[in-house]
Amino acid sequence: MDRGKMAEAESLETAAEHERILREIESTDTACIGPTLRSVYDGEEHGRFMEKLETRIRNHDREIEKMCNFHYQGFVDSITELLKVRGEAQKLKNQVTDTNRKLQHEGKELVIAMEELKQCRLQQRNISATVDKLMLCLPVLEMYSKLRDQMKTKRHYPALKTLEHLEHTYLPQVSHYRFCKVMVDNIPKLREEIKDVSMSDLKDFLESIRKHSDKIGETAMKQAQQQRNLDNIILQQPRIGSKRKSKKDTYTIFDAEIESTSPKSEQDSGILDVEDEEDDEEVPGAQDLVDFSPVYRCLHIYSVLGARETFENYYRKQRRKQARLVLQPPSNMHETLDGYRKYFNQIVGFFVVEDHILHTTQGLVNRAYIDELWEMALSKTIAALRTHSSYCSDPNLVLDLKNLIVLFADTLQVYGFPVNQLFDMLLEIRDQYSETLLKKWSGIFRNILDSDNYSPIPVTSEEMYKKVVGQFPFQDTELEKQPFPKKFPFSEFVPKVYNQIKEFIYACLKFSEDLHLSSTEVDDMIRKSTNLLLTRTLSNSLQNVIKRKNIGLTELVQIIINTTHLEKSCKYLEEFITNITNVLPETVHTTKLYGTTTFKDARHAAEEEIYTNLNQKIDQFLQLADYDWMTGDLGNKASDYLVDLIAFLRSTFAVFTHLPGKVAQTACMSACKHLATSLMQLLLEAEVRQLTLGALQQFNLDVRECEQFARSGPVPGFQEDTLQLAFIDLRQLLDLFIQWDWSTYLADYGQPTCKYLRVNPVTALTLLEKISREMKDTSRKNNMFAQFRKNERDKQKLIDTVAKQLRGLISSHHS
């Protein structure tokens, strides 16, 4: 359509020019018509001019014809005159013809030469014009060729600059050529093509970054690990020069590279030099793994095209989407450390790239955008770690996870990201780690206590003695002086438990490393965890052992001895904690070890269990008691079951020699009291309705055997006959009945100096009624002997009288 309009415009212009030339020919002198005709030949439309000329001639002919018709008579007259001069004219014509023939013959060669000259001049003029036009067109073609080469080699930003020069500088000079118009029409398409290609490169870059974020993060974390190791070496050794580049130095080098490949040059921008010949042995920089040139090219191109904001919005939107994908943890992340490591690597890789973009571009991403992404990442990461770490029951995995989180935090801190919340969360994981340790050590303590033989550790040589002393802080001058073989007072579980407590402390210390805590905070944390170990885990393990059904007295005695020594060792544990945390002793005031309470509680439980166990054993022996309450024979020795019971008590209390004095004394007193109470209940139980004095005599022999045991001092430390007081109730009751000293009892009852002060009238009445029933029954069986019957009647009468008086005492006492 445009081409048709242009052709029509040219046609009108040419027609106007031809019209002007015709007017000049008509109005100009014949002698001066040459330049006008020359302008026709100089033009390119000779044919069209001749057509115009023929048309003008025909018009003049018609006018002439009209005029002739108007002046016909004059024409006839003129013809007549012309006929007259015809002859003369013919003569003149012949002369002219001859002259012309001669002239033609003479000027033929000149005409040929002139024609040749004309053609030569025309060619020369055309060549000159062509050269001039080519000189204008060649730079355009060269620039266009350069543009195509740049696009072919994907140097899009230089191509864009070339396109700008071509459009604004070169094409306007030759805009009337058809090929230039084609180029002009293609320029928007070329721009769009460059834009699309650069955007495609950016998408490929974003996809590549997404896939390789974990590799970038892994490299960054390795660098952080190397730096931390280097810092530790520097802390231990005099500071020496290091070839390691700081993060700032890295950016300086990178900026220099950017300048050398700036958009002003025709090179591609943003290509990093990934080789570092000076640091061949070091891990390459995380940024060195990535070619950021697609980002820089695309940014420059969109900036030049006036669409920078569109590019920035697209880049940020895509990276936000990728951030959400990166921050989504796998469902089985908690199963292995590699799951956590890959998760952290991806996050670190993402933010290393964004931090690099922040520092190497002007405004593509800004600090507010980075901070927003980091806040989102921090909250999601902490939530994921809280959720997944809660599933972990292996303290070693929790410890490895803590070290990984610390490295993760340190790496991101190097890049300027705030990580305080991560360290705060580590304090939460520390509590969980402590719980997993407590569970682990619960099993360790259980195994130690279950596998212990609860016997003093025997040693046969100095080497064995030093080995035990090296495992547990024990000093006993008397034991050292004793010859080999000899025994420690405690069993093997004491040094084992002590060393496991130290191992637990070491495990707690490992978690505290690199948490940026002060020595005092670490010390306080370890002491609190150790207190939980003692007061909860070890205490429960000891309580479970003590409460076991098959626990024996020997084991209980050994547990008391062992807990006594472990309690004494608590001060050494406190010193141990102070030493490994490097805290000055005077600053340790926040938390003390509660081992004393733990071991005292365990010891008290063991003591109570000893008392209960002893009483149960006594009850088992008493179940063997088989008294014949109706016997009339007078025995001369104690019952077999009681003799066995006393032998058992003697052997048992012999084991108590290593117990604290009060424990052994209390156990012995408790056993004697329980025995006395049980014997009293045996004598007074309701099933025994009748009782002979002979059976009472046998029972008295058994009680005397018990008193003999009490007098023998089975446990040292009792004053005089203190232990015998456990049987005083039985003794006074039996003496009352055997001596039949009712007058004294009834007369002195209620007085502090009463001989039978411990005899309760209710108890006396119960026993008296049993004897009375037996005597009545015997009286009915022996009624054939009158004299015997009289004695029985008298005794029965006395019993009734005493019983009446006892009832009176009971009623008066209650009133």
Side-chain angles (χ1 to χ4, degrees), residues 127-340:
I127 290 172
S128 178
T130 303
V131 169
D132 292 340
K133 298 300 181 182
L134 285 176
M135 290 302 293
L136 289 174
C137 293
L138 280 176
V140 176
L141 296 173
E142 288 174 356
M143 291 294 286
Y144 193 79
S145 175
K146 181 180 179 181
L147 171 66
R148 281 299 180 183
D149 290 340
Q150 289 172 337
M151 292 185 66
K152 187 176 180 180
T153 55
K154 295 186 176 182
R155 298 170 63 219
H156 299 117
Y157 182 77
L160 199 62
K161 300 299 288 184
T162 301
L163 189 63
E164 185 178 354
H165 289 308
L166 186 64
E167 181 182 20
H168 297 291
T169 304
Y170 294 96
L171 283 176
Q173 298 176 8
V174 288
S175 59
H176 56 280
Y177 292 114
R178 188 166 50 196
F179 78 92
C180 294
K181 295 177 181 178
V182 173
M183 288 184 183
V184 170
D185 293 340
N186 282 337
I187 284 176
K189 298 177 182 178
L190 291 173
R191 280 204 178 94
E192 197 63 32
E193 181 182 348
I194 292 172
K195 189 176 179 182
D196 293 342
V197 171
S198 63
M199 180 56 72
S200 176
D201 290 344
L202 176 69
K203 291 177 180 178
D204 294 340
F205 168 81
L206 292 175
E207 181 64 22
S208 176
I209 284 295
R210 187 185 68 81
K211 291 180 179 178
H212 298 95
S213 285
D214 55 343
K215 182 64 177 177
I216 299 169
E218 180 184 359
T219 303
M221 292 179 74
K222 283 183 180 179
Q223 283 183 313
Q225 183 67 52
Q226 283 185 346
Q227 185 62 50
R228 191 163 67 181
N229 294 340
L230 183 62
D231 292 341
N232 291 336
I233 293 173
I234 292 173
L235 288 174
Q236 297 172 5
Q237 298 178 356
R239 188 175 184 87
I240 58 175
S242 173
K243 292 183 179 180
R244 187 174 187 85
K245 294 181 177 67
S246 65
K247 182 169 178 283
K248 183 177 180 181
D249 296 335
T250 302
Y251 284 133
T252 303
I253 294 172
F254 183 80
D255 292 341
E257 292 170 353
I258 289 295
E259 290 176 4
S260 66
T261 57
S262 65
K264 296 178 181 179
S265 69
E266 294 184 0
Q267 301 176 3
D268 289 338
S269 61
I271 299 176
L272 285 171
D273 182 12
V274 298
E275 298 294 332
D276 190 352
E277 297 179 356
E278 295 183 3
D279 297 328
D280 291 337
E281 297 181 357
E282 291 190 3
V283 177
Q287 302 91 342
D288 297 341
L289 299 175
V290 184
D291 178 12
F292 288 92
S293 57
V295 180
Y296 304 131
R297 282 198 300 267
C298 202
L299 175 62
H300 293 326
I301 288 168
Y302 271 72
S303 298
V304 170
L305 296 176
R308 180 186 177 98
E309 185 176 355
T310 302
F311 174 76
E312 290 177 358
N313 293 334
Y314 175 81
Y315 178 85
R316 294 182 186 183
K317 181 180 179 181
Q318 294 302 315
R319 289 298 278 168
R320 279 194 182 95
K321 290 181 180 179
Q322 291 186 356
R324 292 187 180 94
L325 292 175
V326 164
L327 294 170
Q328 185 66 33
S331 58
N332 61 343
M333 184 174 73
H334 60 275
E335 295 177 359
T336 61
L337 188 66
D338 287 338
Y340 289 104

Side-chain angles (χ1 to χ4, degrees), residues 399 402-403 433 505-514:
L399 182 61
K402 164 258 169 182
N403 291 330
Y433 175 71
I505 293 171
Y506 274 126
C508 292
L509 180 65
K510 286 180 181 178
F511 194 92
S512 302
E513 293 174 349
D514 302 319

